[in-house]
Short mmCIF file of all heavy atoms in Angstrom, two decimals:
data_model
loop_
_atom_site.label_atom_id
_atom_site.label_comp_id
_atom_site.label_asym_id
_atom_site.label_seq_id
_atom_site.Cartn_x
_atom_site.Cartn_y
_atom_site.Cartn_z
N TYR A 302 204.42 10.37 303.83
CA TYR A 302 205.19 9.54 302.91
C TYR A 302 206.19 8.68 303.68
O TYR A 302 206.32 7.48 303.44
CB TYR A 302 205.90 10.44 301.90
CG TYR A 302 206.54 9.75 300.73
CD1 TYR A 302 205.86 8.78 300.00
CD2 TYR A 302 207.82 10.08 300.32
CE1 TYR A 302 206.44 8.16 298.90
CE2 TYR A 302 208.41 9.48 299.23
CZ TYR A 302 207.72 8.51 298.52
OH TYR A 302 208.30 7.89 297.44
N LEU A 303 206.88 9.28 304.64
CA LEU A 303 207.84 8.55 305.45
C LEU A 303 207.14 7.48 306.28
O LEU A 303 207.64 6.36 306.42
CB LEU A 303 208.62 9.50 306.36
CG LEU A 303 209.66 8.86 307.26
CD1 LEU A 303 210.72 8.13 306.44
CD2 LEU A 303 210.30 9.91 308.14
N SER A 304 205.99 7.81 306.84
CA SER A 304 205.24 6.83 307.62
C SER A 304 204.81 5.65 306.76
O SER A 304 204.84 4.49 307.21
CB SER A 304 204.02 7.48 308.27
OG SER A 304 204.44 8.47 309.20
N MET A 305 204.42 5.92 305.52
CA MET A 305 204.07 4.83 304.61
C MET A 305 205.29 3.96 304.34
O MET A 305 205.19 2.73 304.33
CB MET A 305 203.54 5.39 303.28
CG MET A 305 202.18 6.00 303.36
SD MET A 305 201.69 6.74 301.78
CE MET A 305 201.36 5.27 300.83
N ALA A 306 206.44 4.60 304.15
CA ALA A 306 207.68 3.86 303.88
C ALA A 306 208.06 2.98 305.07
O ALA A 306 208.44 1.81 304.89
CB ALA A 306 208.81 4.81 303.52
N VAL A 307 207.93 3.51 306.28
CA VAL A 307 208.23 2.72 307.48
C VAL A 307 207.26 1.55 307.59
O VAL A 307 207.67 0.42 307.90
CB VAL A 307 208.20 3.61 308.75
CG1 VAL A 307 208.25 2.77 310.01
CG2 VAL A 307 209.34 4.60 308.72
N GLY A 308 206.00 1.79 307.32
CA GLY A 308 205.02 0.70 307.33
C GLY A 308 205.37 -0.39 306.32
O GLY A 308 205.27 -1.58 306.60
N ALA A 309 205.79 0.03 305.14
CA ALA A 309 206.18 -0.94 304.10
C ALA A 309 207.41 -1.73 304.54
O ALA A 309 207.49 -2.95 304.33
CB ALA A 309 206.45 -0.22 302.78
N ILE A 310 208.37 -1.07 305.17
CA ILE A 310 209.56 -1.75 305.67
C ILE A 310 209.18 -2.78 306.74
O ILE A 310 209.71 -3.89 306.76
CB ILE A 310 210.58 -0.73 306.22
CG1 ILE A 310 211.18 0.07 305.07
CG2 ILE A 310 211.68 -1.43 307.03
CD1 ILE A 310 211.98 1.29 305.51
N GLN A 311 208.24 -2.43 307.60
CA GLN A 311 207.80 -3.36 308.63
C GLN A 311 207.14 -4.60 308.02
O GLN A 311 207.38 -5.73 308.46
CB GLN A 311 206.84 -2.66 309.60
CG GLN A 311 207.52 -1.62 310.47
CD GLN A 311 206.54 -0.77 311.26
OE1 GLN A 311 205.37 -0.64 310.90
NE2 GLN A 311 207.03 -0.17 312.33
N VAL A 312 206.31 -4.39 307.00
CA VAL A 312 205.69 -5.52 306.32
C VAL A 312 206.76 -6.41 305.69
O VAL A 312 206.74 -7.64 305.82
CB VAL A 312 204.68 -5.04 305.25
CG1 VAL A 312 204.26 -6.17 304.32
CG2 VAL A 312 203.47 -4.41 305.91
N GLN A 313 207.72 -5.80 305.02
CA GLN A 313 208.78 -6.57 304.37
C GLN A 313 209.65 -7.28 305.39
O GLN A 313 210.10 -8.41 305.14
CB GLN A 313 209.60 -5.67 303.46
CG GLN A 313 208.81 -5.21 302.25
CD GLN A 313 209.56 -4.24 301.37
OE1 GLN A 313 210.61 -3.71 301.74
NE2 GLN A 313 209.02 -3.99 300.19
N ALA A 314 209.89 -6.67 306.55
CA ALA A 314 210.67 -7.33 307.60
C ALA A 314 209.95 -8.60 308.08
O ALA A 314 210.61 -9.63 308.29
CB ALA A 314 210.91 -6.37 308.76
N ARG A 315 208.64 -8.53 308.23
CA ARG A 315 207.88 -9.73 308.63
C ARG A 315 207.94 -10.79 307.54
O ARG A 315 208.08 -11.98 307.83
CB ARG A 315 206.42 -9.35 308.94
CG ARG A 315 206.26 -8.59 310.23
CD ARG A 315 204.80 -8.48 310.66
NE ARG A 315 203.96 -7.77 309.72
CZ ARG A 315 203.75 -6.46 309.73
NH1 ARG A 315 204.33 -5.69 310.63
NH2 ARG A 315 202.94 -5.91 308.84
N GLN A 316 207.86 -10.37 306.27
CA GLN A 316 207.96 -11.32 305.17
C GLN A 316 209.33 -11.98 305.15
O GLN A 316 209.44 -13.20 304.95
CB GLN A 316 207.68 -10.62 303.83
CG GLN A 316 206.26 -10.15 303.66
CD GLN A 316 206.08 -9.25 302.45
OE1 GLN A 316 207.04 -8.66 301.94
NE2 GLN A 316 204.84 -9.13 301.98
N ILE A 317 210.38 -11.20 305.34
CA ILE A 317 211.75 -11.73 305.33
C ILE A 317 211.92 -12.73 306.48
O ILE A 317 212.51 -13.80 306.31
CB ILE A 317 212.78 -10.59 305.42
CG1 ILE A 317 212.79 -9.80 304.11
CG2 ILE A 317 214.17 -11.13 305.75
CD1 ILE A 317 213.55 -8.49 304.18
N GLU A 318 211.40 -12.39 307.65
CA GLU A 318 211.50 -13.29 308.80
C GLU A 318 210.80 -14.62 308.52
O GLU A 318 211.35 -15.69 308.81
CB GLU A 318 210.91 -12.62 310.04
CG GLU A 318 211.04 -13.45 311.29
CD GLU A 318 210.47 -12.77 312.52
OE1 GLU A 318 210.02 -11.62 312.43
OE2 GLU A 318 210.50 -13.40 313.59
N ALA A 319 209.61 -14.56 307.94
CA ALA A 319 208.88 -15.79 307.61
C ALA A 319 209.64 -16.61 306.58
O ALA A 319 209.73 -17.84 306.69
CB ALA A 319 207.48 -15.44 307.11
N LEU A 320 210.19 -15.95 305.58
CA LEU A 320 210.96 -16.67 304.55
C LEU A 320 212.22 -17.29 305.14
O LEU A 320 212.60 -18.41 304.77
CB LEU A 320 211.32 -15.73 303.40
CG LEU A 320 210.16 -15.30 302.52
CD1 LEU A 320 210.58 -14.17 301.59
CD2 LEU A 320 209.63 -16.47 301.72
N GLN A 321 212.87 -16.59 306.07
CA GLN A 321 214.08 -17.14 306.71
C GLN A 321 213.74 -18.39 307.52
O GLN A 321 214.47 -19.37 307.50
CB GLN A 321 214.74 -16.09 307.61
CG GLN A 321 216.08 -16.54 308.15
CD GLN A 321 217.08 -16.82 307.04
OE1 GLN A 321 217.35 -15.95 306.22
NE2 GLN A 321 217.63 -18.02 307.01
N LYS A 322 212.61 -18.36 308.22
CA LYS A 322 212.17 -19.53 308.98
C LYS A 322 211.90 -20.70 308.03
O LYS A 322 212.23 -21.85 308.32
CB LYS A 322 210.92 -19.21 309.80
CG LYS A 322 211.22 -18.36 311.01
CD LYS A 322 209.95 -18.05 311.79
CE LYS A 322 210.25 -17.15 312.97
NZ LYS A 322 209.04 -16.80 313.72
N GLU A 323 211.28 -20.40 306.90
CA GLU A 323 211.00 -21.45 305.92
C GLU A 323 212.30 -22.04 305.36
O GLU A 323 212.43 -23.25 305.22
CB GLU A 323 210.13 -20.89 304.79
CG GLU A 323 209.69 -21.92 303.78
CD GLU A 323 208.78 -21.34 302.70
OE1 GLU A 323 208.28 -20.21 302.86
OE2 GLU A 323 208.59 -22.04 301.70
N ILE A 324 213.26 -21.18 305.06
CA ILE A 324 214.56 -21.64 304.56
C ILE A 324 215.24 -22.52 305.60
O ILE A 324 215.78 -23.60 305.28
CB ILE A 324 215.46 -20.45 304.18
CG1 ILE A 324 214.94 -19.78 302.91
CG2 ILE A 324 216.92 -20.89 304.00
CD1 ILE A 324 215.60 -18.45 302.60
N ASP A 325 215.21 -22.09 306.86
CA ASP A 325 215.84 -22.87 307.93
C ASP A 325 215.19 -24.24 308.06
O ASP A 325 215.88 -25.26 308.22
CB ASP A 325 215.78 -22.12 309.26
CG ASP A 325 216.64 -20.86 309.27
OD1 ASP A 325 217.54 -20.73 308.40
OD2 ASP A 325 216.42 -20.01 310.17
N ALA A 326 213.86 -24.29 308.00
CA ALA A 326 213.14 -25.57 308.09
C ALA A 326 213.48 -26.48 306.91
O ALA A 326 213.72 -27.68 307.08
CB ALA A 326 211.64 -25.33 308.18
N LEU A 327 213.53 -25.90 305.72
CA LEU A 327 213.87 -26.70 304.53
C LEU A 327 215.32 -27.20 304.60
O LEU A 327 215.61 -28.33 304.20
CB LEU A 327 213.64 -25.88 303.26
CG LEU A 327 212.18 -25.60 302.92
CD1 LEU A 327 212.08 -24.58 301.79
CD2 LEU A 327 211.46 -26.88 302.55
N ARG A 328 216.20 -26.37 305.11
CA ARG A 328 217.61 -26.77 305.27
C ARG A 328 217.72 -27.93 306.25
O ARG A 328 218.46 -28.89 306.01
CB ARG A 328 218.44 -25.58 305.74
CG ARG A 328 219.93 -25.85 305.76
CD ARG A 328 220.73 -24.61 306.08
NE ARG A 328 220.71 -23.72 304.93
CZ ARG A 328 220.46 -22.41 304.99
NH1 ARG A 328 220.20 -21.83 306.13
NH2 ARG A 328 220.48 -21.67 303.89
N ASP A 329 216.95 -27.87 307.34
CA ASP A 329 216.94 -28.97 308.31
C ASP A 329 216.43 -30.25 307.68
O ASP A 329 217.00 -31.33 307.88
CB ASP A 329 216.10 -28.61 309.54
CG ASP A 329 216.75 -27.57 310.43
OD1 ASP A 329 217.98 -27.33 310.29
OD2 ASP A 329 216.02 -26.98 311.26
N GLN A 330 215.34 -30.14 306.91
CA GLN A 330 214.79 -31.32 306.22
C GLN A 330 215.81 -31.92 305.25
O GLN A 330 215.96 -33.14 305.17
CB GLN A 330 213.51 -30.96 305.47
CG GLN A 330 212.32 -30.67 306.33
CD GLN A 330 211.11 -30.23 305.51
OE1 GLN A 330 211.12 -30.24 304.28
NE2 GLN A 330 210.06 -29.81 306.20
N LEU A 331 216.50 -31.07 304.52
CA LEU A 331 217.50 -31.52 303.57
C LEU A 331 218.65 -32.23 304.28
O LEU A 331 219.09 -33.31 303.86
CB LEU A 331 218.03 -30.35 302.75
CG LEU A 331 219.09 -30.66 301.70
CD1 LEU A 331 218.59 -31.65 300.66
CD2 LEU A 331 219.56 -29.38 301.03
N ASN A 332 219.11 -31.67 305.39
CA ASN A 332 220.20 -32.29 306.15
C ASN A 332 219.77 -33.64 306.71
O ASN A 332 220.55 -34.60 306.70
CB ASN A 332 220.68 -31.36 307.27
CG ASN A 332 221.45 -30.18 306.73
OD1 ASN A 332 222.01 -30.22 305.64
ND2 ASN A 332 221.48 -29.09 307.50
N GLN A 333 218.53 -33.73 307.20
CA GLN A 333 218.03 -35.00 307.72
C GLN A 333 217.94 -36.04 306.60
O GLN A 333 218.29 -37.21 306.78
CB GLN A 333 216.66 -34.80 308.38
CG GLN A 333 216.73 -34.05 309.69
CD GLN A 333 215.35 -33.72 310.24
OE1 GLN A 333 214.32 -34.17 309.72
NE2 GLN A 333 215.32 -32.93 311.30
N ALA A 334 217.47 -35.62 305.42
CA ALA A 334 217.38 -36.54 304.28
C ALA A 334 218.77 -37.01 303.86
O ALA A 334 218.96 -38.19 303.51
CB ALA A 334 216.65 -35.88 303.12
N ARG A 335 219.74 -36.13 303.88
CA ARG A 335 221.11 -36.50 303.51
C ARG A 335 221.70 -37.49 304.51
O ARG A 335 222.40 -38.43 304.14
CB ARG A 335 222.00 -35.26 303.43
CG ARG A 335 221.76 -34.43 302.19
CD ARG A 335 222.66 -33.21 302.18
NE ARG A 335 222.50 -32.46 300.95
CZ ARG A 335 222.84 -31.20 300.81
NH1 ARG A 335 223.38 -30.53 301.82
NH2 ARG A 335 222.66 -30.58 299.66
N GLU A 336 221.41 -37.26 305.80
CA GLU A 336 221.91 -38.17 306.83
C GLU A 336 221.32 -39.57 306.66
O GLU A 336 222.02 -40.56 306.82
CB GLU A 336 221.60 -37.62 308.23
CG GLU A 336 222.44 -36.42 308.61
CD GLU A 336 222.01 -35.78 309.92
OE1 GLU A 336 221.15 -36.34 310.64
OE2 GLU A 336 222.53 -34.69 310.21
N LYS A 337 220.03 -39.65 306.34
CA LYS A 337 219.38 -40.95 306.13
C LYS A 337 219.92 -41.65 304.88
O LYS A 337 220.02 -42.87 304.84
CB LYS A 337 217.86 -40.78 306.01
CG LYS A 337 217.19 -40.43 307.32
CD LYS A 337 215.69 -40.28 307.12
CE LYS A 337 215.02 -39.84 308.39
NZ LYS A 337 213.57 -39.64 308.22
N ALA A 338 220.23 -40.86 303.87
CA ALA A 338 220.68 -41.45 302.60
C ALA A 338 222.17 -41.75 302.58
O ALA A 338 222.64 -42.48 301.71
CB ALA A 338 220.34 -40.50 301.45
N ALA A 339 222.91 -41.25 303.56
CA ALA A 339 224.37 -41.46 303.57
C ALA A 339 224.69 -42.91 303.87
O ALA A 339 224.04 -43.53 304.73
CB ALA A 339 225.00 -40.54 304.60
N PRO A 340 225.68 -43.48 303.18
CA PRO A 340 226.06 -44.87 303.48
C PRO A 340 226.67 -44.95 304.88
O PRO A 340 227.24 -43.96 305.37
CB PRO A 340 227.10 -45.19 302.40
CG PRO A 340 227.57 -43.88 301.88
CD PRO A 340 226.48 -42.89 302.15
N PRO A 341 226.51 -46.09 305.53
CA PRO A 341 227.07 -46.21 306.88
C PRO A 341 228.59 -46.08 306.85
O PRO A 341 229.24 -46.50 305.90
CB PRO A 341 226.65 -47.61 307.33
CG PRO A 341 226.11 -48.30 306.13
CD PRO A 341 225.86 -47.27 305.06
#
Side-chain angles (χ1 to χ4, degrees):
Y302 191 47
L303 180 60
S304 296
M305 288 176 73
V307 169
I310 290 169
Q311 291 170 338
V312 167
Q313 291 176 348
R315 287 192 299 271
Q316 293 170 339
I317 290 168
E318 183 179 357
L320 290 169
Q321 188 61 56
K322 286 179 182 178
E323 185 177 347
I324 288 169
D325 292 343
L327 291 170
R328 188 174 287 133
D329 288 344
Q330 289 176 6
L331 180 59
N332 288 336
Q333 289 173 7
R335 285 179 176 160
E336 288 173 8
K337 288 180 184 178

